[in-house]
Amino acid sequence: MKVVIFGAGLIGKKRGLQLAPHELVGIFDPDQARAKALAAELKTKAFDNEAAALGAPSDVAIVAVTNNALTPVSVKALEAGRHVLVEKPAALSLAELSLLEAASRRTGRAVKVGFNHRFHPSLLKARELVDSGRMGPLMFLRARYGHGGRLGMEKEWRFDPKLGGGGELIDQGVHLLDLIHWFFGPLPLQSSLVRTNFWPAEVDDNAVLTCAAEEGEQWATFHVSCSEWKNTFSLELYGRTGKILVTGLGGSYGKETLTYYQMQPEMGPPPFETFEFEGADRSWELDLKNLVDHVEKKTPLLGDLASARYCLEQVTAAYRANGYLNLPCNA
Ligand SMILES: NC(=O)c1ccc[n+]([C@@H]2O[C@H](COP(=O)([O-])OP(=O)(O)OC[C@H]3O[C@@H](n4cnc5c(N)ncnc54)[C@H](O)[C@@H]3O)[C@@H](O)[C@H]2O)c1
């Protein structure tokens, strides 16, 4: 397929580096210096205006722009006939997400949301173990995800409510909400604590959410933080007869590892197996492959607009319950 990338930042580059076997026809970013530098690195062209990028013959648009521009750029790309891989959270609010859903329906083009964590090998393995039935019915999930920020982060777009839409919850939190949606379906928000502990910002830097089934016993709880100091990813998933522990995501999050504990009929300390995943993070490549397979073979999208809607519903409810009323999602 022919692919065009909007946004020459960190994620535009990560996605551009994992595009093979597809062809990158060019990159657009209003920051032309960035666009040109990335285009040179990826041996493609930099468009000098948005219309040229939208008009260039292509099948897929990757939209890796600041959060405020995710929906507007994606809607234009859909109208131009492209399938879209839009970064999370896909929109700043549920009202904006509705525009994206409507554009996808109107144009008949697919939208994949960049919930690439589903394609980390540990989480694919977790899904395989759950689907194998070895763990029995799922009961609950407990997760932690966080990073330590960087000097001056409070001045970046992520901490500007109009550009980012919120803080840590809408940033890293939506990945955990998407994983909850994947393993349990749409568990609604049960309780939330959202705080601005460390960074001098209008938005949150820490959030603790619990989601729970209205009927039945399944629940999920997590803490996301950008005052975590040591980058951390930990996810535990409990079935009636087994437990999964995932730690690390590679790189600064540490070696990606999954340990599976199999409960015995007599209970007691369970035997366990550990899987270690090394090598490059291929989740960006597999995320795009999922969209291409969906377009070509009608296979299901993993991380779609329904999951983005679930995530934004919980984020909006948590911000509202904690008095973060200045955010676009609560407008
Ligand atoms: N999937 C993940 O794990 C993951 C991780 C980090 C960020 N993200 C998401 O990726 C997106 C980009 O984040 P980033 O870290 O690359 O940010 P970044 O600041 O590094 O890059 C964003 C780029 O978008 C450009 N931009 C803004 N408006 C634009 C427009 N209308 N058209 C084209 N380009 C435009 C900016 O000039 C900037 O160069 C965000 O939505 C973020 O939430 C996803």
Side-chain angles (χ1 to χ4, degrees), residues 188-229:
L189 188 68
Q190 162 91 22
S191 65
S192 61
L193 181 92
V194 185
R195 290 289 183 267
T196 306
N197 280 112
F198 178 80
W199 294 96
E202 282 178 64
V203 299
D204 55 298
D205 54 22
N206 279 270
V208 178
L209 266 60
T210 299
C211 301
E214 274 156 6
E215 288 176 22
E217 289 163 6
Q218 293 183 324
W219 56 273
T221 192
F222 67 81
H223 175 201
V224 284
S225 172
C226 56
S227 58
E228 177 68 42
W229 308 147

XYZ file of all heavy atoms in Angstrom, residues 188-229:
332
model
N -17.664 -0.338 32.859
C -17.829 1.093 33.148
C -17.046 1.561 34.371
O -16.692 0.758 35.243
C -19.338 1.230 33.390
C -19.816 -0.128 33.719
C -18.866 -1.133 33.130
N -16.821 2.879 34.430
C -16.076 3.456 35.545
C -16.838 3.256 36.851
O -18.028 3.558 36.949
C -15.869 4.960 35.292
C -14.934 5.653 36.276
C -13.503 5.173 36.097
C -14.999 7.176 36.089
N -16.118 2.767 37.855
C -16.700 2.559 39.182
C -16.257 3.671 40.125
O -17.043 4.224 40.878
C -16.216 1.206 39.698
C -16.353 0.987 41.200
C -17.674 0.362 41.528
O -18.198 -0.204 40.694
N -18.199 0.450 42.705
N -14.944 4.004 40.081
C -14.440 5.075 40.949
C -13.159 5.632 40.339
O -12.493 4.958 39.539
C -14.156 4.547 42.358
O -13.108 3.607 42.303
N -12.828 6.846 40.734
C -11.620 7.464 40.163
C -11.026 8.473 41.125
O -11.744 9.128 41.887
C -11.954 8.171 38.851
O -12.894 9.199 39.087
N -9.703 8.574 41.064
C -8.969 9.609 41.797
C -8.006 10.211 40.775
O -7.146 9.500 40.260
C -8.194 8.980 42.943
C -7.417 9.972 43.782
C -8.281 10.438 44.956
C -6.139 9.363 44.310
N -8.188 11.473 40.453
C -7.330 12.125 39.455
C -6.696 13.326 40.142
O -7.395 14.118 40.780
C -8.151 12.559 38.215
C -7.226 13.128 37.140
C -8.948 11.390 37.651
N -5.383 13.442 40.028
C -4.676 14.476 40.796
C -3.578 15.132 39.952
O -3.064 14.544 39.006
C -4.005 13.856 42.037
C -4.982 13.410 43.104
C -5.629 14.609 43.799
N -6.509 14.208 44.881
C -7.832 14.012 44.766
N -8.419 14.159 43.599
N -8.555 13.672 45.810
N -3.212 16.358 40.370
C -2.034 17.028 39.827
C -1.068 17.141 41.000
O -1.154 18.062 41.806
C -2.409 18.408 39.257
O -3.478 18.229 38.312
C -1.224 19.057 38.559
N -0.198 16.157 41.140
C 0.662 16.049 42.322
C 1.955 16.848 42.217
O 2.401 17.448 43.176
C 1.066 14.584 42.557
C -0.030 13.807 43.236
O -0.621 12.917 42.645
N -0.343 14.152 44.472
N 2.575 16.801 41.049
C 3.948 17.283 40.958
C 4.135 18.407 39.945
O 4.744 19.420 40.258
C 4.879 16.112 40.594
C 6.318 16.529 40.426
C 7.129 16.712 41.534
C 6.850 16.761 39.157
C 8.461 17.118 41.379
C 8.168 17.162 38.993
C 8.982 17.340 40.107
N 3.613 18.221 38.748
C 3.895 19.170 37.670
C 3.020 20.407 37.820
O 1.833 20.296 38.123
C 3.666 18.503 36.299
C 4.649 17.399 36.055
C 4.464 16.067 36.282
C 5.983 17.542 35.591
N 5.599 15.362 35.980
C 6.553 16.248 35.539
C 6.767 18.627 35.189
C 7.860 16.019 35.130
C 8.065 18.404 34.763
C 8.599 17.107 34.734
N 3.600 21.614 37.625
C 2.801 22.835 37.719
C 1.937 22.984 36.472
O 2.295 23.666 35.516
C 3.866 23.941 37.810
C 5.073 23.376 37.142
C 5.021 21.882 37.299
N 0.808 22.282 36.457
C 0.003 22.200 35.238
C -1.477 22.266 35.575
O -1.882 21.998 36.701
C 0.314 20.885 34.532
N -2.277 22.604 34.549
C -3.742 22.599 34.716
C -4.302 21.196 34.573
O -5.475 20.971 34.802
C -4.379 23.429 33.592
C -4.308 24.915 33.755
C -4.946 25.566 32.523
O -6.153 25.389 32.305
O -4.196 26.229 31.785
N -3.462 20.283 34.071
C -3.952 18.936 33.800
C -3.384 17.956 34.824
O -2.484 18.292 35.603
C -3.594 18.493 32.364
C -4.231 19.419 31.337
C -2.078 18.446 32.176
N -3.901 16.736 34.809
C -3.518 15.704 35.772
C -2.156 15.102 35.459
O -1.776 14.977 34.291
C -4.569 14.593 35.730
C -4.758 14.061 34.314
O -5.168 14.858 33.436
O -4.441 12.877 34.065
N -1.450 14.681 36.521
C -0.234 13.892 36.304
C -0.337 12.510 36.954
O 0.584 11.695 36.808
C 1.030 14.648 36.762
C 0.959 15.135 38.205
O 0.177 14.572 38.987
O 1.691 16.088 38.540
N -1.425 12.247 37.663
C -1.633 10.927 38.265
C -3.124 10.601 38.222
O -3.954 11.495 38.464
C -1.176 10.901 39.728
C 0.321 10.712 39.843
O 0.817 9.598 39.912
N 1.059 11.819 39.820
N -3.446 9.346 37.961
C -4.854 8.941 37.980
C -4.956 7.476 38.391
O -4.133 6.649 37.973
C -5.480 9.143 36.600
N -5.942 7.213 39.220
C -6.234 5.838 39.654
C -7.698 5.570 39.314
O -8.577 6.287 39.796
C -6.036 5.688 41.184
C -6.382 4.275 41.634
C -4.611 6.047 41.570
N -7.941 4.597 38.468
C -9.316 4.312 38.057
C -9.658 2.859 38.368
O -8.802 1.974 38.235
C -9.493 4.527 36.541
C -9.994 5.904 36.073
C -9.055 7.010 36.497
C -10.151 5.912 34.551
N -10.876 2.644 38.749
C -11.396 1.282 38.857
C -12.653 1.196 37.998
O -13.538 2.056 38.098
C -11.728 0.920 40.314
O -10.523 1.013 41.079
C -12.270 -0.496 40.424
N -12.682 0.187 37.154
C -13.841 -0.052 36.305
C -14.432 -1.399 36.733
O -13.680 -2.314 37.087
C -13.435 -0.124 34.836
S -12.632 1.397 34.269
N -15.734 -1.507 36.729
C -16.339 -2.759 37.213
C -17.632 -3.030 36.468
O -18.393 -2.107 36.148
C -16.608 -2.654 38.713
N -17.883 -4.318 36.234
C -19.114 -4.709 35.537
C -20.320 -4.346 36.387
O -20.287 -4.504 37.614
C -19.084 -6.212 35.265
N -21.372 -3.872 35.721
C -22.601 -3.586 36.476
C -23.249 -4.881 36.922
O -23.818 -4.971 37.997
C -23.558 -2.758 35.609
C -23.248 -1.278 35.714
C -23.720 -0.473 34.521
O -24.390 -1.030 33.637
O -23.372 0.722 34.483
N -23.166 -5.870 36.067
C -23.653 -7.198 36.443
C -22.472 -8.149 36.306
O -21.690 -8.024 35.385
C -24.765 -7.641 35.499
C -26.040 -6.874 35.741
C -27.126 -7.238 34.752
O -27.059 -8.333 34.168
O -28.025 -6.404 34.570
N -22.339 -9.076 37.228
C -21.179 -9.968 37.180
C -20.088 -9.407 38.071
O -20.258 -8.365 38.705
N -18.952 -10.091 38.074
C -17.958 -9.779 39.094
C -16.654 -9.227 38.549
O -15.722 -8.979 39.308
C -17.683 -11.045 39.911
C -18.872 -11.377 40.789
C -18.851 -12.798 41.319
O -17.852 -13.487 41.097
O -19.853 -13.176 41.931
N -16.560 -9.036 37.238
C -15.268 -8.619 36.675
C -14.973 -7.154 36.982
O -15.868 -6.307 36.943
C -15.281 -8.825 35.164
C -15.340 -10.293 34.781
C -15.279 -10.484 33.281
O -15.820 -9.691 32.521
N -14.624 -11.542 32.851
N -13.713 -6.874 37.260
C -13.301 -5.491 37.488
C -11.841 -5.313 37.092
O -11.105 -6.289 36.913
C -13.534 -5.067 38.938
C -12.880 -5.929 39.979
C -13.394 -7.054 40.538
C -11.589 -5.740 40.578
N -12.507 -7.585 41.449
C -11.391 -6.793 41.505
C -10.579 -4.786 40.441
C -10.221 -6.913 42.272
C -9.422 -4.901 41.210
C -9.257 -5.962 42.108
N -11.437 -4.048 36.969
C -10.057 -3.732 36.579
C -9.667 -2.428 37.246
O -10.475 -1.504 37.336
C -9.965 -3.595 35.060
N -8.425 -2.357 37.713
C -7.986 -1.146 38.391
C -6.575 -0.791 37.931
O -5.784 -1.677 37.615
C -8.053 -1.338 39.929
O -7.881 -0.075 40.566
C -7.015 -2.306 40.441
N -6.284 0.517 37.842
C -4.934 0.900 37.418
C -4.536 2.256 37.964
O -5.385 3.069 38.362
C -4.808 0.888 35.884
C -5.612 1.936 35.147
C -5.160 3.246 35.023
C -6.818 1.590 34.548
C -5.888 4.200 34.319
C -7.560 2.546 33.842
C -7.090 3.852 33.739
N -3.232 2.462 37.989
C -2.641 3.755 38.333
C -1.731 4.156 37.181
O -0.862 3.387 36.788
C -1.826 3.618 39.631
C -1.081 4.860 40.029
N -0.002 4.828 40.879
C -1.242 6.164 39.686
C 0.452 6.065 41.052
N -0.269 6.891 40.334
N -1.945 5.350 36.631
C -1.013 5.907 35.636
C -0.403 7.164 36.223
O -1.053 7.913 36.960
C -1.679 6.229 34.271
C -1.922 4.977 33.475
C -2.950 7.040 34.440
N 0.873 7.407 35.873
C 1.593 8.503 36.524
C 2.700 9.041 35.623
O 3.391 8.261 34.960
C 2.220 7.970 37.823
O 3.067 8.939 38.388
N 2.855 10.355 35.621
C 4.082 10.907 35.017
C 4.922 11.599 36.090
O 5.707 12.493 35.800
C 3.803 11.781 33.797
S 2.686 13.134 34.048
N 4.765 11.120 37.330
C 5.767 11.406 38.364
C 6.185 10.057 38.950
O 6.276 9.862 40.142
C 5.215 12.342 39.441
O 4.065 11.783 40.045
N 6.429 9.120 38.026
C 6.717 7.723 38.396
C 8.219 7.536 38.667
O 8.615 6.554 39.265
C 6.236 6.822 37.247
C 6.494 5.348 37.388
C 5.685 4.697 38.504
O 4.496 5.018 38.653
O 6.261 3.863 39.219
N 9.032 8.467 38.167
C 10.498 8.511 38.315
C 11.193 7.358 37.608
O 12.045 7.581 36.772
C 10.922 8.612 39.772
C 10.235 9.729 40.514
C 9.881 9.753 41.835
C 9.823 11.007 40.002
N 9.263 10.944 42.164
C 9.212 11.731 41.051
C 9.879 11.617 38.751
C 8.687 13.012 40.894
C 9.355 12.883 38.582
C 8.778 13.564 39.649
